[in-house]
mmCIF file of all heavy atoms in Angstrom:
data_model
loop_
_atom_site.group_PDB
_atom_site.id
_atom_site.type_symbol
_atom_site.label_atom_id
_atom_site.label_comp_id
_atom_site.label_asym_id
_atom_site.label_seq_id
_atom_site.Cartn_x
_atom_site.Cartn_y
_atom_site.Cartn_z
ATOM 1 N N LEU A 4 16.778 -29.090 -29.158
ATOM 2 C CA LEU A 4 18.128 -29.016 -28.593
ATOM 3 C C LEU A 4 18.332 -27.710 -27.846
ATOM 4 O O LEU A 4 18.952 -27.669 -26.792
ATOM 5 C CB LEU A 4 19.161 -29.141 -29.723
ATOM 6 C CG LEU A 4 19.286 -30.519 -30.377
ATOM 7 C CD1 LEU A 4 20.264 -30.456 -31.543
ATOM 8 C CD2 LEU A 4 19.743 -31.558 -29.351
ATOM 9 N N THR A 10 17.324 -25.018 -20.259
ATOM 10 C CA THR A 10 16.820 -25.358 -18.940
ATOM 11 C C THR A 10 16.290 -26.771 -18.843
ATOM 12 O O THR A 10 15.581 -27.102 -17.890
ATOM 13 C CB THR A 10 15.658 -24.403 -18.544
ATOM 14 O OG1 THR A 10 14.624 -24.531 -19.506
ATOM 15 C CG2 THR A 10 16.122 -22.972 -18.455
ATOM 16 N N CYS A 12 14.012 -27.777 -20.613
ATOM 17 C CA CYS A 12 12.586 -27.535 -20.834
ATOM 18 C C CYS A 12 11.847 -27.150 -19.545
ATOM 19 O O CYS A 12 10.629 -27.127 -19.519
ATOM 20 C CB CYS A 12 11.907 -28.731 -21.493
ATOM 21 S SG CYS A 12 12.495 -29.013 -23.181
ATOM 22 N N GLU A 37 10.009 -13.568 -21.103
ATOM 23 C CA GLU A 37 9.230 -14.739 -21.513
ATOM 24 C C GLU A 37 9.694 -15.262 -22.870
ATOM 25 O O GLU A 37 9.749 -16.483 -23.088
ATOM 26 C CB GLU A 37 7.743 -14.393 -21.525
ATOM 27 C CG GLU A 37 7.180 -14.190 -20.122
ATOM 28 C CD GLU A 37 5.724 -13.758 -20.126
ATOM 29 O OE1 GLU A 37 5.236 -13.285 -21.183
ATOM 30 O OE2 GLU A 37 5.068 -13.876 -19.073
ATOM 31 N N PRO A 51 14.446 -5.281 -0.431
ATOM 32 C CA PRO A 51 15.286 -5.398 0.765
ATOM 33 C C PRO A 51 16.093 -4.115 0.951
ATOM 34 O O PRO A 51 16.450 -3.444 -0.015
ATOM 35 C CB PRO A 51 16.205 -6.584 0.433
ATOM 36 C CG PRO A 51 15.451 -7.362 -0.601
ATOM 37 C CD PRO A 51 14.690 -6.348 -1.403
ATOM 38 N N GLU A 52 16.395 -3.775 2.192
ATOM 39 C CA GLU A 52 17.018 -2.480 2.483
ATOM 40 C C GLU A 52 18.402 -2.321 1.870
ATOM 41 O O GLU A 52 18.872 -1.195 1.668
ATOM 42 C CB GLU A 52 17.102 -2.263 3.991
ATOM 43 C CG GLU A 52 17.960 -3.282 4.726
ATOM 44 C CD GLU A 52 18.063 -2.978 6.201
ATOM 45 O OE1 GLU A 52 17.668 -1.882 6.619
ATOM 46 O OE2 GLU A 52 18.559 -3.832 6.935
ATOM 47 N N SER A 57 19.899 -1.664 -9.606
ATOM 48 C CA SER A 57 19.297 -2.816 -10.284
ATOM 49 C C SER A 57 20.118 -4.069 -9.998
ATOM 50 O O SER A 57 21.347 -4.066 -10.141
ATOM 51 C CB SER A 57 19.221 -2.569 -11.786
ATOM 52 O OG SER A 57 18.312 -1.515 -12.060
ATOM 53 N N VAL A 112 16.153 6.910 -8.961
ATOM 54 C CA VAL A 112 15.353 6.360 -7.868
ATOM 55 C C VAL A 112 16.270 5.672 -6.872
ATOM 56 O O VAL A 112 17.081 4.830 -7.246
ATOM 57 C CB VAL A 112 14.296 5.360 -8.385
ATOM 58 C CG1 VAL A 112 13.552 4.712 -7.213
ATOM 59 C CG2 VAL A 112 13.318 6.066 -9.294
ATOM 60 N N GLN A 121 6.603 5.417 -4.182
ATOM 61 C CA GLN A 121 5.954 4.122 -4.369
ATOM 62 C C GLN A 121 5.878 3.325 -3.073
ATOM 63 O O GLN A 121 4.980 2.507 -2.880
ATOM 64 C CB GLN A 121 6.698 3.303 -5.430
ATOM 65 C CG GLN A 121 6.638 3.899 -6.823
ATOM 66 C CD GLN A 121 7.808 4.825 -7.103
ATOM 67 O OE1 GLN A 121 8.362 5.441 -6.207
ATOM 68 N NE2 GLN A 121 8.181 4.928 -8.355
ATOM 69 N N SER A 156 -18.350 7.524 9.527
ATOM 70 C CA SER A 156 -18.624 6.933 8.217
ATOM 71 C C SER A 156 -19.194 7.919 7.199
ATOM 72 O O SER A 156 -19.085 7.690 6.000
ATOM 73 C CB SER A 156 -19.576 5.745 8.369
ATOM 74 O OG SER A 156 -20.795 6.166 8.929
ATOM 75 N N PRO A 171 10.286 15.842 3.295
ATOM 76 C CA PRO A 171 9.529 14.667 3.742
ATOM 77 C C PRO A 171 8.075 14.960 4.116
ATOM 78 O O PRO A 171 7.550 14.380 5.066
ATOM 79 C CB PRO A 171 10.315 14.257 4.981
ATOM 80 C CG PRO A 171 10.730 15.569 5.588
ATOM 81 C CD PRO A 171 10.998 16.473 4.423
ATOM 82 N N GLU A 187 4.631 14.682 8.391
ATOM 83 C CA GLU A 187 6.059 14.529 8.146
ATOM 84 C C GLU A 187 6.378 13.033 8.092
ATOM 85 O O GLU A 187 5.965 12.267 8.968
ATOM 86 C CB GLU A 187 6.884 15.197 9.240
ATOM 87 C CG GLU A 187 8.384 15.112 8.987
ATOM 88 C CD GLU A 187 9.192 15.849 10.033
ATOM 89 O OE1 GLU A 187 8.586 16.462 10.943
ATOM 90 O OE2 GLU A 187 10.426 15.813 9.949
ATOM 91 N N PRO A 207 1.686 14.006 12.149
ATOM 92 C CA PRO A 207 0.951 15.222 11.774
ATOM 93 C C PRO A 207 1.756 16.477 12.103
ATOM 94 O O PRO A 207 2.407 16.554 13.150
ATOM 95 C CB PRO A 207 -0.323 15.146 12.630
ATOM 96 C CG PRO A 207 -0.465 13.698 12.976
ATOM 97 C CD PRO A 207 0.933 13.174 13.109
ATOM 98 N N ASP A 209 0.305 19.315 12.488
ATOM 99 C CA ASP A 209 -0.616 20.163 13.238
ATOM 100 C C ASP A 209 -1.517 19.271 14.081
ATOM 101 O O ASP A 209 -1.530 18.048 13.922
ATOM 102 C CB ASP A 209 -1.456 21.004 12.272
ATOM 103 C CG ASP A 209 -2.001 22.264 12.921
ATOM 104 O OD1 ASP A 209 -1.881 22.388 14.159
ATOM 105 O OD2 ASP A 209 -2.542 23.104 12.182
ATOM 106 N N THR A 221 3.427 2.054 9.601
ATOM 107 C CA THR A 221 3.419 0.755 8.930
ATOM 108 C C THR A 221 4.830 0.212 9.020
ATOM 109 O O THR A 221 5.780 0.986 9.226
ATOM 110 C CB THR A 221 2.964 0.868 7.468
ATOM 111 O OG1 THR A 221 2.787 -0.443 6.914
ATOM 112 C CG2 THR A 221 3.960 1.621 6.612
#
Side-chain angles (χ1 to χ4, degrees):
L4 289 176
T10 59
C12 293
E37 290 176 342
E52 62 177 348
S57 294
V112 175
Q121 294 91 331
S156 61
E187 183 177 358
D209 203 350
T221 188

